[in-house]
Amino acid sequence: MYKNIIFDLGNVVLDYNPIAYLKDKLNDEKSEKIALENIFKSEEWPMLDRGVITEEEAIERIVNRDINNKEIIEIAFKDWYVMLNPLKDTVDLINELKSNGYKLYYLSNFHSRAFEYVTKNNEVFKAFNGGVVSFKEKLLKPERDIYIKILNDYDLKAEECIFIDDVLENVQGANKEGIKGIHFKNIKELREELNTCGVLNTEE
């Protein structure tokens, strides 16, 4: 019997679309491509998730690698986390699960400053009973220890947990630890999967 639902954050609970963000902020195809490659596809990005460098250090490293595009990089990096807005359909689901008595947690690869921003500005985080984020633990999904961490921190039994993530490798990592993983594709399929698991009794 499942008692605990664990959510990834980016592209599950919160919208994360760097391409749309850069288009809105820079409105220039060449600049958008430069920023996407230099920032969101950089080696520094997962380092920020792991919490081993600061945002300032990341910017400095990236700019030093491509000094000619310093202005584009700095503009794109400034307040990038404003794109991380709650996905209404998932928020509705979270509230429904909460009202039905399930314990809710988050398990996410996330930057320090971005996490501070989203938790401060979004009511949905009040629904969670707790969670684990990568930068605090110096661990990244799908590393085994990050799944063990959330189980141990909240005294959860793996067989009583469902983990939802949009990245298949992260779902597989949860499965290896005995946690039921669901690969998030869209809210309709997620509801169907939860219904199959006996968590939801409706197909809204």
Side-chain angles (χ1 to χ4, degrees), residues 6 43 45-52 107-110 132-152 163 165 167-179:
I6 306 170
E43 64 185 49
W45 202 251
M47 293 173 70
L48 284 162
D49 274 340
R50 196 181 287 277
V52 294
L107 176 62
S108 189
N109 292 345
F110 229 85
V132 168
V133 281
S134 59
F135 78 89
K136 290 184 179 179
E137 311 303 334
K138 306 296 189 286
L139 298 168
L140 293 177
K141 295 177 299 181
E143 295 167 3
R144 179 175 187 266
D145 286 350
I146 199 166
Y147 303 99
I148 301 300
K149 177 72 178 173
I150 194 166
L151 294 176
N152 289 344
F163 174 60
D165 199 301
V167 177
L168 182 58
E169 290 80 5
N170 296 340
V171 173
Q172 292 168 339
N175 288 336
K176 287 177 183 177
E177 304 312 317
I179 300 167

Side-chain angles (χ1 to χ4, degrees), residues 109-160:
N109 292 345
F110 229 85
H111 299 185
S112 171
R113 194 168 292 175
F115 187 72
E116 180 182 353
Y117 173 85
V118 298
T119 52
K120 180 181 178 182
N121 289 282
N122 296 297
E123 291 286 317
V124 65
F125 284 91
K126 292 181 179 178
F128 290 104
N129 296 88
V132 168
V133 281
S134 59
F135 78 89
K136 290 184 179 179
E137 311 303 334
K138 306 296 189 286
L139 298 168
L140 293 177
K141 295 177 299 181
E143 295 167 3
R144 179 175 187 266
D145 286 350
I146 199 166
Y147 303 99
I148 301 300
K149 177 72 178 173
I150 194 166
L151 294 176
N152 289 344
D153 279 5
Y154 298 99
D155 196 25
L156 306 177
K157 296 178 180 178
E159 64 271 18
E160 295 177 349

Side-chain angles (χ1 to χ4, degrees), residues 7-18 80-91 94 106 108-111 114-125 128 133 166 184:
F7 287 84
D8 173 38
L9 294 177
N11 281 333
V12 177
V13 177
L14 304 169
D15 191 22
Y16 174 74
N17 189 336
W80 67 268
Y81 26 82
V82 297
M83 78 167 96
L84 298 168
N85 294 308
L87 295 166
K88 182 183 182 303
D89 288 342
T90 306
V91 173
I94 285 171
Y106 49 81
S108 189
N109 292 345
F110 229 85
H111 299 185
F115 187 72
E116 180 182 353
Y117 173 85
V118 298
T119 52
K120 180 181 178 182
N121 289 282
N122 296 297
E123 291 286 317
V124 65
F125 284 91
F128 290 104
V133 281
D166 65 311
F184 180 83

Side-chain angles (χ1 to χ4, degrees), residues 5 7 91-105 124-130 199-200:
I5 316 297
F7 287 84
V91 173
D92 290 345
L93 173 61
I94 285 171
N95 290 333
E96 183 179 337
L97 291 168
K98 187 77 172 179
S99 67
N100 287 343
Y102 290 93
K103 295 289 182 67
L104 306 177
Y105 302 90
V124 65
F125 284 91
K126 292 181 179 178
F128 290 104
N129 296 88
V199 172
L200 292 177

